[in-house]
Amino acid sequence: MPEPIDFYFDFSSPYGYLASELIDEFAARFQREVRWRPILLGVVFKQTGAAPLTLIPLKGEYSVHDFSRSARFLDVPYTHPKNFPLATQDAARTYYWLHDQDRETARAFAHSVFRALYVEGRDVSERNLVVELAAGNGADREALSAALAGAVLKARLKAECDAAFGKGVFGSPYMIVDGEPFFGVDRLPQIERWLSSGGF
Amino acid sequence: MPEPIDFYFDFSSPYGYLASELIDEFAARFQREVRWRPILLGVVFKQTGAAPLTLIPLKGEYSVHDFSRSARFLDVPYTHPKNFPLATQDAARTYYWLHDQDRETARAFAHSVFRALYVEGRDVSERNLVVELAAGNGADREALSAALAGAVLKARLKAECDAAFGKGVFGSPYMIVDGEPFFGVDRLPQIERWLSSGGF
């Protein structure tokens, strides 16, 4: 069995969302699994001098236009959220809390978060909504709420982020395929060729 | 006759170079001409907080890797220059000086500059080399040297840059197709669909 594809993303990344709607089916065509790895880019942005795309002069306006156009191009539903950018640490922490119990539930939850934000325009920075979305995927509300209030889960996400940055991850989505890094949903065609021909 | 595609680039942009090797044939498939518009991104980078890709922590290392991989993907020869990033105002000014005499000569010169830098690894920040490349495309060395030493040509490039920034251009390559903006050589597939179907 070949190595899974590592898929790093920030829930507050529209291009990460677009990739999330495509990556599993994409990888399955090459008999690959995908390891989903939500991270928080805020820390690395401080290091790289980057900022959320929509807050950058000139580039911000283009980006909002490009999010929607890229979504149409990729045939993924998208409505740019009014509340954007937004904090996603509760969503990312909940992902790992679920992941440590059951991978598939965590993935279904991740889709719920992305779609709540980028299709329904809901404010996933709110802890109540995050817990509600997790409960909708079968999670125990009280256990999750307790975990979100504690230090262990906070440390768990921080360790994931540090590990990602240690591998060079600086943006979202960021895919690593057999050690080869690809940044951006617009690198899927390159990944496709990479997987088809074992590199190029 | 449909409107030409506007193609903005900075000679110090590897992705701009990759686009330069593809854009004319690409556009011709849709019966489109291309208006080449070299600019200097330094000014807009000050406004957007951007920096040359290779100077950004983490992203810089990835970018150098991605330049070469993207070149292989697009079947364009590429060797990352040792002297990089570098100043390209003489090259851009010479482009417009030639352009005001003969468009085709200017385009041939632009290819010469890009290939000298990204294939042969020559230092196109040197005025002597810029003049040599222009002369190789038939330019009068003395007249060009005089123009490069004067204020008129400097103002000409500044006006081109200001006009580009006024249209929202913030990076390289940046293409405008019937008013629709596309940033990055990785947007060529979207432009292709846009031109095939009159928008999407």
Side-chain angles (χ1 to χ4, degrees), chain A residues 15 44 47-49 56-60 62-63 65-66 69-75 165 168-170 174 180-187 189-191 193-194 200, chain B residues 15 44 47-49 56-60 62-63 65-66 69-75 165 168-170 174 180-187 189-191 193-194 200:
Chain A
Y15 296 124
V44 76
Q47 195 181 341
T48 61
I56 301 171
L58 294 179
K59 198 167 185 174
Y62 171 84
S63 296
H65 186 78
D66 190 66
R69 186 180 61 207
S70 293
R72 295 195 303 277
F73 183 70
L74 297 168
D75 202 20
F165 305 149
V169 176
F170 59 81
Y174 194 101
E180 183 74 8
F182 296 90
F183 167 52
V185 66
D186 38 30
R187 285 293 173 276
Q190 290 198 20
I191 298 177
R193 193 183 300 174
W194 196 271
F200 60 82
Chain B
Y15 297 124
V44 76
Q47 196 181 342
T48 61
I56 301 172
L58 295 179
K59 198 167 186 174
Y62 171 83
S63 296
H65 187 77
D66 190 66
R69 186 180 61 207
S70 293
R72 295 195 302 276
F73 184 69
L74 297 168
D75 202 19
F165 305 150
V169 175
F170 58 81
Y174 194 100
E180 183 74 10
F182 295 90
F183 168 52
V185 66
D186 37 31
R187 286 292 172 278
Q190 289 198 22
I191 298 177
R193 193 184 298 175
W194 196 271
F200 60 83

